[in-house]
Amino acid sequence: MSAGKLPPERHRNDIYGDLDAPAEGATPAVPAATVVLLRDAPGLEVLMLHKTSQVAFGGMWVFPGGRVDPGDAQDAADEVEAARRAAARETLEETGLVAAPDEFVWFSFWVPPPSTPRRFATWFFAAPAAGHRVSVDGGEIQDHAWLAPADALSRHAAGEIDLAPPTWVTLHHLSRLDSTAAALARLQAGEPRRYATRLGKRADGARVAMWHGDAGYDAHDPDADGARHRLVMSTSGFVFENTVMEY
């Protein structure tokens, strides 16, 4: 796994772009899909890929995945089936691992705010890894690692790796589980969660991603008093705050 401190400005996570960007004329979100591959070693680990800096999400550590291509949607029953196919195809292309889309557990769907320069509306799936011998091409994907979710979060907090907010939140929830079976059971237990992200900045300057149920969601006001369902993205690290959803 490649190491080294990130420049301080990268740790703000400004993937969502300019807070003042108008919603009108926002770039339409491209359908995409990703799959969280799980294994026990013996504790729970997830497969993370390091993107090269020249592509979307460049420099970040991500789960296998990418955009939904027209071929993925051909004869698909619905957009979720097309997303499953895309996640499986991208996994094979990026890692050399064969994944069975019918076995994927769909657990969340993420839509970035209009300010995001490159917008991807992304289905998140989870599945047990069918193999552990990963092969990356050194091009679009320059490195990989099997990481305990808590370890990935610690490295992010230390400024060693960069994570997009949906990746960070997913790892946060998985960090409370200790096995593949426990993770899949928890993710299958409820309806997939939908995160239509709204962005704001607190009075102290911290950028905040808010989701449905947060007191500041409707007004894009992270300083509003009340319920919390958000990720605070300060330069000192990320903090997930939740008083409204059971995870």
Side-chain angles (χ1 to χ4, degrees), residues 31-32 39 43 48 51 58 83 115-116 118 124 134 137 150 174 186 229:
R39 75 174 188 182
M48 304 290 296
K51 290 266 194 176
S115 59
T116 310
R118 303 185 70 176
F124 273 60
V134 178
D137 62 12
L174 289 174
R186 177 65 62 84
H229 188 207

Side-chain angles (χ1 to χ4, degrees), residues 1 12 35 43-44 64 91 99 108 110 121 124 128 132 138 154 173 175 206 214 217 222 227 229 243 245:
M1 178 178 181
R12 296 175 308 181
V35 59
L44 180 66
T91 296
S108 64
W110 293 78
F124 273 60
H132 308 294
S154 294
H173 296 314
S175 69
D214 191 280
Y217 185 78
H229 188 207
T243 62
M245 305 286 287

Side-chain angles (χ1 to χ4, degrees), residues 4-205:
K5 278 275 189 180
L6 295 171
E9 64 272 14
R10 291 301 306 278
H11 199 55
R12 296 175 308 181
N13 198 303
D14 54 3
I15 187 175
Y16 288 148
D18 184 359
L19 283 166
D20 298 323
E24 298 80 10
T27 303
V30 175
T34 189
V35 59
V36 184
L37 295 178
L38 309 168
R39 75 174 188 182
D40 297 317
L44 180 66
E45 291 185 339
V46 300
L47 179 61
M48 304 290 296
L49 306 180
H50 191 196
K51 290 266 194 176
T52 186
S53 59
Q54 283 77 37
V55 298
F57 300 101
M60 291 187 171
W61 284 81
V62 300
F63 307 121
R67 70 177 60 214
V68 178
D69 287 345
D72 301 317
Q74 186 173 3
D75 300 323
D78 53 30
E79 58 186 5
V80 180
E81 182 180 347
R84 290 176 183 274
R85 293 177 180 177
R89 174 182 53 75
E90 289 281 349
T91 296
L92 180 60
E93 293 174 1
E94 293 180 339
T95 71
L97 298 178
V98 176
D102 292 344
E103 297 177 2
F104 291 176
V105 175
W106 174 31
F107 64 91
S108 64
F109 180 73
W110 293 78
V111 180
S115 59
T116 310
R118 303 185 70 176
R119 304 182 72 226
F120 294 90
T122 307
W123 283 265
F124 273 60
F125 302 99
H132 308 294
R133 300 187 65 177
V134 178
S135 175
V136 299
D137 62 12
E140 179 180 342
I141 306 299
Q142 60 184 8
D143 199 1
H144 78 280
W146 289 97
L147 296 174
D151 185 24
L153 295 174
S154 294
R155 296 186 184 197
H156 179 263
E160 297 173 4
I161 65 174
D162 201 8
L163 300 171
T167 307
W168 193 100
V169 172
T170 299
L171 290 167
H172 171 76
H173 296 314
L174 289 174
S175 69
R176 301 178 298 169
L177 304 168
D178 59 6
S179 69
T180 297
L184 293 176
R186 177 65 62 84
L187 296 174
Q188 286 177 313
E191 291 295 315
R193 300 193 184 279
R194 295 180 178 268
Y195 297 85
T197 304
R198 293 185 178 178
L199 196 62
K201 182 182 288 187
R202 290 194 318 204
D204 63 3

